[in-house]
Amino acid sequence: MNIKNDALSLILEASDKKTLEEIKLQFVGRSGKLTTLLKELPKVPLERRPAIGQLANEVKEAIENAIESQESGIKNSELSRKKETIDITAPGIEPKIGHLHPMTQVISDVVDVFKGIGFQAAEGPEIETDHYNFEVLNIPKDHPSRDTQMTFYLDTKESKVTPGEIILRTQTSAMQGRVMQKIKPPVRVIVPGKNFRYEQVDASHGFEFWQVEGFCVDTHIRLTDLFGTIDYVLRKLMGQDVELKFATTNFPFVEPGVDTYMKCTVCKGKGCSFCKFAGWSEIMPAGMIHPNVLKAVGYDPQEVSGFAFAIGLSRLVTLRYRMDDLYDF
Ligand SMILES: [Zn+2]
């Protein structure tokens, strides 16, 4: 039985066809160990011969089977090794390098369009003071519109700051005061950025949202300048065939206030899930800057006037890329 075990362990270790041939000769060849043993069979007492003969045949068969299966194993691994060979002349596989986030793409397009008509882009702090976020914008502490802004207040217990004075900005308009206090008119600035409101999160609301704030102050700026600017910008961004309508509205920092609606680009106004079946999407609140705001930043409302607007970027991205769920952002 040692013959069988010896043979099987050699076979399992063999890694090429030649070694296997040698093992075959060594055990079951014409002068192999097993064959030699079988030649001794006539010397064995007659009654034991059939049993030994049968055992020898079984061992022979086992060795031959093992050699065969090891052989095909070697063949397979050789084949797969051949497949792995690198063909340096083969054309390469183009790597997937991804793309900019839809929001980033839209922001950069918006900035480009505004730069074309003389606006500069500025960035402001996301952690803002109550003063710039509300007071300067004609929203004093007791103003009812503060209720709708759902503000996040920073915990200032450990500091000298009066509680409630430091917040996460609720609107990029907070930059109006910061910019206008530094620059004398003419001013043309846009501020892309993130805002934060304490909102229930669902498919169309998030606790943070992107806006591009914009404002322009100069002598003789009129409401028609605002309409022209909005019309130009939205056509550049959304296509020449966009349809717009304006409605009056009320924000404390503008007088008069204007809401811009764009006909849904998906359903052409018939109503669909993208426009929440309204046919039109509110896309750009705007208006003429309130004289109180101009005064608060040190401008003279008798000399200069201006307009301000905010573009809801999420809405722009959803309409452009036809996304119907804010979670996709
Ligand atoms: Zn629609």
Side-chain angles (χ1 to χ4, degrees), residues 264 266-267 271-272 274-275 279:
C264 178
V266 178
C267 63
C272 69
F274 292 99
C275 56

Side-chain angles (χ1 to χ4, degrees), residues 15 74 76-86:
S15 56
I74 291 170
N76 283 340
S77 72
E78 270 172 1
L79 270 178
S80 63
R81 215 174 301 144
K82 258 184 202 155
K83 269 185 219 151
E84 279 168 24
T85 325
I86 296 167

Side-chain angles (χ1 to χ4, degrees), residues 263-281 319:
K263 195 182 252 187
C264 178
T265 52
V266 178
C267 63
K268 306 274 177 251
K270 287 193 193 81
C272 69
S273 61
F274 292 99
C275 56
K276 299 203 177 60
F277 300 95
W280 293 80
S281 281
L319 281 172

Side-chain angles (χ1 to χ4, degrees), residues 297-317:
V297 299
Y299 289 177
D300 181 355
Q302 301 298 324
E303 276 177 24
V304 292
S305 53
F307 62 76
F309 55 84
I311 306 177
L313 282 173
S314 312
R315 194 60 61 81
L316 217 56
V317 178

Side-chain angles (χ1 to χ4, degrees), residues 60-172:
K60 192 182 175 204
E61 211 174 305
I63 292 173
E64 282 171 348
N65 284 342
I67 287 177
E68 208 175 297
S69 84
Q70 185 72 359
E71 217 168 35
S72 74
I74 291 170
K75 211 188 232 170
N76 283 340
S77 72
E78 270 172 1
L79 270 178
S80 63
R81 215 174 301 144
K82 258 184 202 155
K83 269 185 219 151
E84 279 168 24
T85 325
I86 296 167
D87 177 2
I88 55 163
T89 62
I93 300 161
E94 200 179 336
K96 283 193 177 134
I97 54 169
H99 57 80
L100 291 176
H101 190 282
M103 183 63 81
T104 313
Q105 293 179 35
V106 167
I107 289 175
S108 102
D109 288 353
V110 169
V111 171
D112 275 352
V113 169
F114 276 105
K115 272 189 178 165
I117 49 173
F119 280 76
Q120 279 179 296
E123 271 184 337
E126 288 170 1
I127 295 173
E128 190 50 279
T129 59
D130 181 278
H131 177 72
Y132 284 113
N133 197 85
F134 294 119
E135 298 278 342
V136 172
L137 294 168
N138 200 27
I139 315 172
K141 291 239 169 357
D142 57 354
H143 198 282
S145 91
R146 283 200 183 208
D147 290 348
T148 63
Q149 298 247 342
M150 328 274 260
T151 312
F152 282 112
Y153 292 91
L154 263 71
D155 181 357
T156 50
K157 259 181 260 156
E158 306 292 316
S159 73
K160 286 176 189 159
V161 177
T162 320
E165 285 304 310
I166 307 288
I167 62 170
L168 293 184
R169 71 174 173 205
T170 61
Q171 46 194 357
T172 34

Side-chain angles (χ1 to χ4, degrees), residues 18-252:
K18 201 178 153 223
T19 319
L20 282 174
E21 291 293 329
E22 280 164 10
I23 296 168
K24 202 172 180 178
L25 279 177
Q26 201 185 333
F27 289 93
V28 294
R30 202 170 293 172
S31 49
K33 281 181 189 168
L34 194 65
T35 325
T36 318
L37 203 70
L38 280 171
K39 279 180 189 159
E40 303 288 304
L41 206 57
K43 290 177 190 168
V44 176
L46 198 64
E47 69 274 15
R48 288 188 59 204
R49 277 185 213 166
I52 291 180
Q54 199 191 343
L55 187 65
N57 276 328
E58 276 169 20
V59 171
K60 192 182 175 204
E61 211 174 305
I63 292 173
E64 282 171 348
N65 284 342
I67 287 177
E68 208 175 297
S69 84
Q70 185 72 359
E71 217 168 35
S72 74
I74 291 170
K75 211 188 232 170
N76 283 340
S77 72
E78 270 172 1
L79 270 178
S80 63
R81 215 174 301 144
K82 258 184 202 155
K83 269 185 219 151
E84 279 168 24
T85 325
I86 296 167
D87 177 2
I88 55 163
T89 62
I93 300 161
E94 200 179 336
K96 283 193 177 134
I97 54 169
H99 57 80
L100 291 176
H101 190 282
M103 183 63 81
T104 313
Q105 293 179 35
V106 167
I107 289 175
S108 102
D109 288 353
V110 169
V111 171
D112 275 352
V113 169
F114 276 105
K115 272 189 178 165
I117 49 173
F119 280 76
Q120 279 179 296
E123 271 184 337
E126 288 170 1
I127 295 173
E128 190 50 279
T129 59
D130 181 278
H131 177 72
Y132 284 113
N133 197 85
F134 294 119
E135 298 278 342
V136 172
L137 294 168
N138 200 27
I139 315 172
K141 291 239 169 357
D142 57 354
H143 198 282
S145 91
R146 283 200 183 208
D147 290 348
T148 63
Q149 298 247 342
M150 328 274 260
T151 312
F152 282 112
Y153 292 91
L154 263 71
D155 181 357
T156 50
K157 259 181 260 156
E158 306 292 316
S159 73
K160 286 176 189 159
V161 177
T162 320
E165 285 304 310
I166 307 288
I167 62 170
L168 293 184
R169 71 174 173 205
T170 61
Q171 46 194 357
T172 34
S173 315
M175 271 299 276
Q176 281 188 28
R178 287 186 179 275
V179 170
M180 292 196 278
Q181 278 181 345
K182 284 200 187 104
I183 311 173
K184 292 241 165 315
V187 178
R188 268 175 289 186
V189 172
I190 52 164
V191 186
K194 239 191 282 182
N195 302 307
F196 307 86
R197 287 186 197 182
Y198 187 65
E199 289 235 38
Q200 185 74 38
V201 175
D202 64 27
S204 51
H205 296 88
F207 61 84
E208 59 171 52
F209 62 99
W210 285 84
Q211 258 184 348
V212 173
E213 167 75 16
F215 45 93
C216 165
V217 183
D218 203 347
T219 48
H220 310 298
I221 296 291
R222 299 186 179 93
L223 193 59
T224 43
D225 297 315
L226 171 62
F227 289 150
T229 305
I230 292 178
D231 186 78
Y232 172 82
V233 167
L234 287 179
R235 276 179 212 289
K236 276 277 178 191
L237 290 171
M238 305 302 286
Q240 284 304 320
D241 56 347
V242 295
E243 280 183 57
L244 303 173
K245 65 180 181 187
F246 299 102
T248 52
T249 185
N250 179 42
F251 304 109

